[in-house]
Amino acid sequence: MSSFRRRAAISVPFPNAFDPSGGPIINKEDVPLSSPLFKNVYRPSSLQQVVDETHFSKNEVRSIYRAFKETSPNAVINRENVREKFAELFPQGDIEHYADLLFDTFDDDGSGVINFQEFVRALSVLCRGTMDEKLNWLYKVYDPKNKGEITWHRLFYVITATDDLIGRKARPATSREQRAERANLIFEKFDLGKKGRITKADFFTVCKTDRQVLDSISALYTILPG
């Protein structure tokens, strides 16, 4: 994805905005057209279709697509691609769990790869989306199966994945007990009805009234060539 970074400056949200304190690429030439791989490739009927589905202009979509194709000539990004990129960005960290969290939010249909349609739609939300669109995207990190609630264990998992991403160079280092204490504080804050779970309505209510969360989400931006 380095070629994409040269074309666009993007601020990607880390899951701790909520915290107030696959396999090798396969060349298309080596795969028959009947292969299931090609079912995952996005082929929009027109450039206008993509523009209508996103907050980007035609020139921006063209720029994003060129960068996407340079990064992935097969027109899909797999889980290993994302892990490799995070390993480059965070060489001291344990990146696997966090990279998978991010991958799953982009892989909207659960196919195991991210096609251009999924990529550009998610990027549109992160960079240009409304507050509700961005909160919906962030909520998916904590409720990937859309059950309508966030459990304490899922919250703890995300906190742990985020801390592990920074790695052993993080200061101060956090213990499992400290992470659990942080999870308890956040869970108590978001579980408005003291139900033992965080509903999607609770999530939206707290996020929209918490200045730190709002500032983190509002900071998302992109600068793309016109």
Side-chain angles (χ1 to χ4, degrees), residues 15-120:
N16 64 355
F18 183 28
D19 184 347
S21 37
I25 295 178
I26 303 171
N27 291 324
K28 287 194 293 185
E29 292 76 14
D30 300 331
V31 183
L33 289 177
S34 59
S35 168
L37 172 67
F38 285 89
K39 296 179 181 179
N40 298 316
V41 177
Y42 176 55
R43 298 182 178 87
S45 59
S46 68
L47 175 61
Q48 188 60 50
Q49 178 188 340
V50 184
V51 172
D52 291 342
E53 293 175 351
T54 66
H55 298 288
F56 294 129
S57 68
K58 288 184 179 181
N59 284 342
E60 288 172 333
V61 171
R62 290 190 187 101
S63 176
I64 295 169
Y65 187 70
R66 285 195 300 269
F68 186 85
K69 286 287 288 182
E70 288 175 11
T71 300
S72 177
N74 300 317
V76 292
I77 295 173
N78 63 32
R79 192 177 297 273
E80 192 60 33
N81 299 148
V82 177
R83 289 177 179 176
E84 289 173 358
K85 179 49 59 180
F86 273 93
E88 292 177 16
L89 296 173
F90 299 92
Q92 302 295 331
D94 180 354
I95 56 85
E96 182 174 322
H97 292 145
Y98 181 82
D100 287 353
L101 286 174
L102 188 64
F103 180 90
D104 290 341
T105 62
F106 275 75
D107 180 18
D108 206 36
D109 61 4
S111 65
V113 295
I114 300 168
N115 61 32
F116 181 69
Q117 179 185 30
E118 292 170 324
F119 180 80
V120 74

